[in-house]
Amino acid sequence: MRAWFDRVRRQRGATLLVVNLRLLLGFAFLPAGLKKVLGQRFTEASNVGPFHDFLHAFYATGGFYRFVGVLQLVVATLLMTQTFGTLGALMALPIFTAITVLCWSTGAVFTGVMTTLMWLGTLLVCAWEHERLIGV
């Protein structure tokens, strides 16, 4: 298995895929993080249901809402750098995990599918950098 993975890692196309994936994941955090840092609602106040009720309660926390936004912006920045991309992927993993579990547990299917794909992409980036992670 390791020999196969090492062969894949030597291919330029695979490397470009992972670099672009890191950039896309980083850009995915930007709008959500900015909304939170600026204190804007993530969903309209008129929306109802378990998913939206959670987001309304999350927004109502104020400082915690903004703190999560700052973390999302930090993760976005780290993911979009060559040097700190692995750290960004490690930090993104629990965030995407929490968002994905929230979506599936509240019935937000479309968002659940999207966040599951982002979570899988983050796992791929972490697997790609497995040699750097061995010491962690």
Side-chain angles (χ1 to χ4, degrees):
M1 180 71 168
R2 182 176 170 107
W4 175 83
F5 194 70
D6 288 341
R7 267 196 322 272
V8 170
R9 288 194 77 205
R10 286 192 296 268
Q11 295 179 2
R12 181 172 169 76
T15 301
L16 289 174
L17 173 78
V18 171
V19 168
N20 285 311
L21 182 58
R22 263 199 0 250
L23 291 172
L24 285 170
L25 291 168
F27 278 115
F29 273 124
L30 288 179
L34 281 173
K35 273 186 153 312
K36 290 177 185 80
V37 167
L38 297 173
Q40 299 174 353
R41 289 184 172 276
F42 199 71
T43 185
E44 295 296 321
S46 60
N47 292 339
V48 294
F51 179 71
H52 296 289
D53 293 345
F54 177 88
L55 292 179
H56 298 319
F58 182 38
Y59 173 75
T61 63
F64 181 66
Y65 186 74
R66 285 194 165 102
F67 172 73
V68 171
V70 169
L71 279 180
Q72 287 178 317
L73 293 178
V74 167
V75 168
T77 303
L78 293 172
L79 278 167
M80 292 187 277
T81 64
Q82 186 67 26
T83 306
F84 299 108
T86 304
L87 177 60
L90 283 176
M91 290 176 69
L93 199 55
I95 296 171
F96 278 131
T97 301
I99 296 169
T100 301
V101 170
L102 167 70
C103 292
W104 287 115
S105 65
T106 57
V109 175
F110 176 75
T111 308
V113 168
M114 298 307 293
T115 58
T116 299
L117 292 173
M118 289 186 232
W119 180 77
L120 289 171
T122 305
L123 280 178
L124 175 64
V125 172
C126 288
W128 188 261
E129 301 291 349
H130 75 279
E131 290 177 1
R132 286 182 171 180
L133 300 177
I134 289 172
V136 178

